[in-house]
Amino acid sequence: MKNRLGIFRRRNESPGANPASKLDKVMKSLKPSPEEALKWGESLEKLLLHKYGLAAFRAFLRTEFSEENLEFWLACEEYKKIKSQSKMVSKAKKIFAEYIAIQSCKEVNLYSYTREHTKENLQNINRCCFDLAQKRIYGLMEKDSYPRFLRSELYLDIINQKKPSPPL
């Protein structure tokens, strides 16, 4: 069985390198204090602005098989930063194909009106093309995923972490 599933195992790109341990070290260096993590409970916006908070929320959404909402929202944020019109056009098409088109691999849950409105916006691409859809997905995360994250074991472990005992 292990041999059959071996194709799904991640292989190191270079011998002796362990990307997982490097990631762990980076994440530990970004780990917030319990007080800092408590601020994430004030708003989804505060959670998403903190690198560790964003990573923790993404990990939580992955366990719920709903990380496409966050990925779409982040893709829209990156899209708004694009300055070149030609890059904006290709990125807009990619975002639409990946997250908004019906039956797309990471389709987000949008009302048909929002989907059609966004599709029409692609006729005249600008920074605001995805605003309505992004606002809708943010609202879904804020009302649904975010409250569950705040009750999750993952978040509770972060805010209840024990401080190391001082040396004797």
Side-chain angles (χ1 to χ4, degrees):
M1 183 70 147
K2 190 175 180 180
N3 289 337
R4 288 184 190 161
L5 298 176
I7 62 169
F8 296 111
R9 287 194 332 229
R10 193 180 251 172
R11 292 195 167 91
N12 290 336
E13 291 175 16
S14 61
N18 188 344
S21 68
K22 287 180 184 177
L23 180 62
D24 288 343
K25 286 178 186 176
V26 169
M27 291 310 289
K28 284 179 183 172
S29 71
L30 298 173
K31 194 166 189 175
S33 67
E35 295 77 23
E36 196 176 3
L38 275 171
K39 292 179 185 172
W40 302 345
E42 295 172 12
S43 71
L44 177 58
E45 181 181 8
K46 287 187 179 184
L47 172 67
L48 297 177
L49 287 172
H50 192 282
K51 280 187 178 186
Y52 194 93
L54 177 62
F57 189 52
R58 177 178 273 150
F60 169 75
L61 291 175
R62 196 171 294 134
T63 67
E64 296 205 327
F65 304 99
S66 63
E67 67 183 310
E68 69 279 352
N69 289 335
L70 180 60
E71 288 177 4
F72 169 71
W73 186 85
L74 291 170
C76 291
E77 289 297 294
E78 286 301 311
Y79 172 79
K80 291 176 188 177
K81 295 175 187 173
I82 298 172
K83 299 203 183 332
S84 159
Q85 184 65 24
S86 62
K87 288 182 181 176
M88 198 179 282
V89 168
S90 70
K91 183 70 171 178
K93 288 178 181 178
K94 182 180 179 191
I95 290 171
F96 187 87
E98 197 167 343
Y99 299 103
I100 297 177
I102 294 172
Q103 300 293 311
S104 60
C105 60
K106 296 180 180 180
E107 183 180 355
V108 292
N109 186 11
L110 294 171
Y111 294 126
S112 59
Y113 168 80
T114 306
R115 192 177 310 278
E116 285 304 311
H117 178 77
T118 305
K119 188 175 183 178
E120 288 170 14
N121 285 346
L122 294 182
Q123 302 305 312
N124 185 19
I125 293 176
N126 60 48
R127 280 190 178 71
C128 304
C129 283
F130 298 103
D131 284 0
L132 183 61
Q134 186 183 20
K135 187 176 180 181
R136 164 84 174 125
I137 294 303
Y138 186 90
L140 279 175
M141 289 190 300
E142 192 172 43
K143 288 176 179 57
D144 187 38
S145 308
Y146 175 64
R148 284 197 316 275
F149 170 74
L150 296 177
R151 294 187 303 269
S152 73
E153 192 173 314
L154 176 65
Y155 179 65
L156 296 175
D157 284 350
I158 295 169
I159 62 172
N160 294 320
Q161 62 186 301
K162 302 275 189 266
K163 293 184 178 165
S165 303
L168 298 175

